[in-house]
Amino acid sequence: MASNNNNNNLHDPITEAAVVTVSSSPADSEASSEATMTCQLASGQVCICHSCEDVRARLLSETANKRKAPPAATIITTTGNGEEADDNEDANKKKKSNTLQPDNPELVHQKMTAACQTILECIGEDPNREGLLKTPDRWAKALKFMTKGYQQDAKKILNGAIFEENHDEMVVVRDIDIHSLCEHHMVPFTGRVHIGYIPQGKILGLSKLARIAEMFSRRLQVQERLTRQIADAIVEAVQPRGVAVVVECTHFCMVMRGVQKVGSSTVTSSVRGIFRDDPRTRAEFFSIVGHGK
């Protein structure tokens, strides 16, 4: 029975390697004296001879190397336009799932509330006290509303409200309230917009002028750019003979911080077409909106 067990155990790769090493080790005096010892692996015992120790060390080394093997590299190829294309579909899916886009509102909201909690802690507040428990959630919703202009498009806002009309006199809409956020400090600036244009065969629904001003104001802004964007959007919509826009606002970055000058206001204007070329037309518009002499 013992010989059968020995024969069966010789198929074990560790046992087989140990036996071969012991039988072929008449190299030095120490190994030759140990060669007379019988390997204990065949009898089911733990063997500590040099040969078995060498086999165990080799196997452990191979296992460790496998664990340290680097993951498969992401392959980047180049398209015909010279742009990089990621061939790793899993990586692309992961990137898309983590992208903060409007079509992933839950992730956006989580990121914003976590950021607000961090800000509260940084200014020395306790986000867990009763009055602040729901503040991160409220702040995230409020900021998304105040910057909703990023998700709006002028063409969709106009919604086809462009009409053929043979009118070539000035059209002015005054005192459109706007509320925006200064992109330098993310504090509000508020005021009024005055818009005038001279049609050239097409007119806009009057409410659309206010909606255009609202759309661009609901973004992080500087007043100068806001004024230009409103004028350019009207030019693109109806190609009028001319457009004039005046924006007058109070900036809380000047009132609440910095120079702290309450009552100061900033006035910007942007003119296109006949309003730029004809001083009389420009003067008429500024007179109507209250900025003429």
Side-chain angles (χ1 to χ4, degrees):
M1 294 296 290
S3 61
N4 290 337
N5 289 337
N6 290 342
N7 291 334
N8 291 335
N9 286 328
L10 287 177
H11 292 290
D12 185 346
I14 298 180
T15 304
E16 188 174 358
V19 171
V20 171
T21 307
V22 170
S23 63
S24 61
S25 62
D28 55 13
S29 58
E30 228 175 339
S32 61
S33 63
E34 289 179 359
T36 60
M37 299 174 58
T38 304
C39 182
Q40 300 299 312
L41 290 177
S43 59
Q45 300 181 31
V46 176
C47 184
I48 59 171
C49 71
H50 289 313
S51 301
C52 291
E53 286 296 307
D54 290 341
V55 172
R56 274 193 287 272
R58 176 174 58 79
L59 294 176
L60 288 173
S61 176
E62 291 175 357
T63 303
N65 289 335
K66 289 180 180 179
R67 290 176 180 174
K68 294 179 180 178
T74 300
I75 301 174
I76 305 296
T77 58
T78 305
T79 64
N81 296 327
E83 300 175 349
E84 288 186 345
D86 190 348
D87 289 338
N88 192 323
E89 295 183 2
D90 292 337
N92 285 336
K93 290 179 181 179
K94 186 176 181 180
K95 288 178 183 177
K96 290 179 181 179
S97 65
N98 291 331
T99 301
L100 297 181
Q101 294 295 337
D103 58 356
N104 198 346
E106 291 185 4
L107 180 59
V108 171
H109 192 75
Q110 289 174 7
K111 289 276 190 178
M112 293 180 71
T113 54
C116 185
Q117 288 178 335
T118 301
I119 292 171
L120 290 173
E121 292 171 353
C122 289
I123 64 174
E125 265 292 359
D126 177 13
N128 295 316
R129 72 176 176 88
E130 184 180 2
L132 295 177
L133 278 176
K134 295 184 179 180
T135 295
D137 180 67
R138 296 189 190 103
W139 175 83
K141 292 177 180 177
L143 187 59
K144 287 296 291 181
F145 176 81
M146 289 186 287
T147 58
K148 64 181 181 179
Y150 287 115
Q151 280 75 55
Q152 294 177 327
D153 178 77
K155 291 182 179 179
K156 292 182 179 179
I157 281 185
L158 295 178
N159 195 27
I162 301 174
F163 309 100
E164 300 286 341
E165 187 67 35
N166 187 23
H167 182 82
D168 59 358
E169 299 294 332
M170 193 181 303
V171 178
V172 178
V173 178
R174 300 188 309 179
D175 300 324
I176 302 170
D177 290 330
I178 60 164
H179 309 281
S180 190
L181 292 175
C182 166
E183 69 178 32
H184 299 145
H185 303 96
M186 286 185 67
V187 292
F189 67 92
T190 64
R192 298 175 296 171
V193 177
H194 315 293
I195 302 174
Y197 75 103
I198 298 178
Q200 190 167 242
K202 295 179 182 179
I203 61 172
L204 272 171
L206 294 178
S207 67
K208 302 305 180 183
L209 296 173
R211 291 189 183 279
I212 288 173
E214 172 77 3
M215 179 190 73
F216 287 113
S217 68
R218 294 297 185 180
R219 303 177 181 182
L220 300 182
Q221 280 287 11
V222 295
Q223 185 173 325
E224 296 85 345
R225 182 172 66 238
L226 171 62
T227 310
R228 294 195 310 271
Q229 287 177 331
I230 295 171
D232 291 340
I234 297 170
V235 169
E236 183 178 353
V238 291
Q239 294 82 45
R241 293 179 62 198
V243 174
V245 178
V246 170
V247 179
E248 48 184 334
C249 289
T250 297
H251 291 250
F252 283 82
C253 60
M254 290 182 61
V255 174
M256 296 179 64
R257 57 163 300 284
V259 70
Q260 300 182 61
K261 295 302 180 183
V262 179
S264 62
S265 62
T266 302
V267 179
T268 53
S269 65
S270 185
V271 291
R272 304 284 188 275
I274 194 172
F275 288 93
R276 180 189 293 274
D277 300 334
D278 189 342
R280 293 174 301 175
T281 303
R282 183 168 62 254
E284 180 184 354
F285 169 76
F286 282 111
S287 176
I288 291 173
V289 300
H291 286 276
K293 292 184 180 180

